[in-house]
Amino acid sequence: METKTFKVEGMSCQHCVNAVEGSVGNLQGVQHVKVLLDKGEVEVSFEKDKVSNEEIVETIEEQGYDVV
């Protein structure tokens, strides 16, 4: 299990939190997702043999946010 924090720009409200946590949480291998709205961060705990950093970033960006 690996935990990684992604810096994400553009999140500003509860809808943003729900969109990111819901979409990333649905990825196979993701165990936990937590959006830290005040810090502009998304913490993800995942099994790196089932899902890659790139897949997580792509999923966040598909929701309309920028991973920096």
Side-chain angles (χ1 to χ4, degrees), residues 17-37:
V17 172
N18 294 342
V20 172
E21 287 183 350
S23 62
V24 175
N26 284 334
L27 292 172
Q28 184 176 358
V30 171
Q31 298 297 315
H32 179 75
V33 183
K34 176 78 174 155
V35 172
L36 305 170
L37 199 56

Side-chain angles (χ1 to χ4, degrees), residues 16-68:
C16 302
V17 172
N18 294 342
V20 172
E21 287 183 350
S23 62
V24 175
N26 284 334
L27 292 172
Q28 184 176 358
V30 171
Q31 298 297 315
H32 179 75
V33 183
K34 176 78 174 155
V35 172
L36 305 170
L37 199 56
D38 57 330
K39 293 182 176 181
E41 295 178 347
V42 178
E43 290 180 354
V44 184
S45 297
F46 61 99
E47 297 174 49
K48 59 184 179 179
D49 59 329
K50 293 186 179 177
V51 65
S52 68
N53 288 338
E54 292 77 21
E55 288 174 282
I56 295 169
V57 167
E58 195 174 285
T59 300
I60 294 170
E61 291 181 340
E62 284 173 356
Q63 297 304 309
Y65 308 105
D66 295 318
V67 179
V68 292

